Amino acid sequence: STVDVLVAGKGAKAAADAASKLKGVRKVLLAESDELAQQLAEPTAALVVSLAGGYDTIVAAATTSGKNVLPRV
């Protein structure tokens, strides 16, 4: 099976390029903006919600950031 990966932040192109080379990754979505630079939960969650329409499952790493963003999605 394949997954799509969202890389969000500022100056995140290198991370997106690396993610695109991982086995099983179908597509990498790159979102870069000043608003995402601090990785605050609210703008990140708003971004995820805006992209979520075509997906039936959304997952994030069990990190502080992931645990802070996903409840807002």
Side-chain angles (χ1 to χ4, degrees):
S1 76
T2 60
V3 297
D4 292 354
V5 175
L6 170 63
V7 178
K10 185 168 181 173
K13 183 163 180 1
D17 290 343
S20 71
K21 296 174 181 155
L22 296 172
K23 182 179 178 185
V25 172
R26 179 179 73 110
K27 176 171 49 172
V28 175
L29 305 169
L30 173 61
E32 292 191 290
S33 74
D34 290 337
E35 185 178 49
L36 298 169
Q38 300 300 317
Q39 299 180 346
L40 298 175
E42 290 79 7
T44 304
L47 172 64
V48 172
V49 168
S50 74
L51 297 170
Y55 296 97
D56 57 19
T57 304
I58 298 172
V59 297
T63 62
T64 302
S65 294
K67 292 176 182 179
N68 197 16
V69 170
L70 279 194
R72 291 171 167 81
V73 172

